[in-house]
Amino acid sequence: MASWAAVSPSIVEYFEGEDFYRCGYCKNESGSRSNGMWAHSLTVQDYQELIDRGWRRSGKYVYKPVMNQTCCPQYTIRCRPLQFQPSKSHKKVLKKMLKFLAKGEISKGNCEDEPMDSTMEDAVAGDFALINKLDIHCDLKMLSDDLQRSLESEEKIEKNSKKEDSNEFIQPQAIEEKLGSGEPSHSVKTHTVPKPGKGADLSKPPCRKAKEIRKERKRLKLMQQNPAGELEGFQAQGELPSLLPPKAKSNQPKSLEDLIFESLPEDASHKLEVRLVPVSFEDPEFKSSFSQSFSLYVKYQMAIHQDPPDECGKTEAENPPNGPDCGYGSFHQQYWLDGRIIAVGVIDILPYCVSSVYLYYDPDYSYLSLGVYSALREIAFTRQLHEKTSQLSYYYMGFYIHSCPKMKYKGQYRPSDLLCPETYVWVPIEQCLPSLENFKYCRFNQDPEAVDEGRSKEPDRLQVFYKKAILPYGVYKRQLKDPREEAAVLQYASLVGQMCSERMLLFRS
């Protein structure tokens, strides 16, 4: 973990009690319940700790559903990108995009089964404006012709080398160079399994044709009879003798990167560029594209949610020495089609994950399934970041709501885990689904003795920011006159946990 001493501490203002508001999922007028606080400032380390305790940000408002009371329990979900393999429906979306880019052709009538709002949170409506964006400057672009040629060359070289394990697929380095910042990185290694029903045993040598076996026997016989003369005959015919079985043709499924960066013809109908930019008016690229990006946001909000945007805010970048090249914080992933922005994905890059916050897009391009497409791009981006920062290995997709069909699609990005709402440990989603079929609220940790290991144990060590001074709660509480304030502080401590309560500053007026 990096040293965070130079980073300004988080300052939060906790709102006492619970908020009751209209549910954005089941439309219950007052059924949605949560605890919330306003983050005047928030470090990525603290936010990582908070989302691992079930919190979620909506702009600068950070909220945690009251899981055993809210009408639609919202379970934090994360995908494991290093083991991720795209499903048939995911491949369909990627192929649809490639076909559109290559030929400009698309079937607009067959996209209703694809969710459009990838990892979108609309429980707290209206405060997903262009806020809390931090520090990065790198481009994600489609492969150029030169890169395509070098990629094809690398693939040929790899086919002649037997370095990878029989059940591992190595991505060409050229893919990784374009996937993220453009700087060289090592290859991503993903584990794959044989397709269901094939019964392939990858630990055994592949089956060989009878003709190949006969030729091998003939080589052996001739080598025994005349090691020099007959050998020359084979070499003259261009056949090199071999005592090894012929190399198996690769039957590994295409990786996510292969599918995303498949070569396009030189006369492709469209060009897609994906750029990562800091949301800072000090950055010229953000400044020059802000008007177009904000106009797209307004168009999306009005068309999809009938919800006007809030004002913009600003936060601070964090660039520890052992973090990713781009630094940590919040970013815009802009999707440029033929020179104009058609979608923007808002993501947070945190110490252990990429967290998808929001996606807004041009409704005129809904037929491209931009929600699914952007999620797959973000998973691939997480894999690329992992190459430079090994502890960054998860993709958080917000909340999984089993009772809401619109949000259940997140469970299709496998393998994935759900966060236990009582002990805050991660449990594979396959183990959680049977319980969720019967109950809206579930404790996923099957150990009845397990407790929240990060719970608040020493509330007096909680840090308070009062009258421009930082005090431990044990000192601050001596001047308390209203017992309700103590109850509110203790509730806050129980929700954020011991670690965050000691590190974040709780603002009191």
Side-chain angles (χ1 to χ4, degrees), residues 301-327:
Q301 288 295 105
M302 294 182 67
I304 307 299
H305 298 292
Q306 295 79 45
D307 190 20
D310 282 350
E311 296 178 358
C312 295
K314 186 178 180 181
T315 56
E316 176 187 358
E318 298 182 31
N319 298 83
N322 63 345
D325 293 340
C326 57

Side-chain angles (χ1 to χ4, degrees), residues 66 81 84 88 104-105 118 120 129 162 207 243 314 398 431 497:
V66 183
F84 175 80
K88 286 184 178 180
E105 298 175 2
S118 175
M120 183 189 67
K162 193 69 176 179
C207 295
L243 297 179
K314 186 178 180 181
Q431 299 178 24

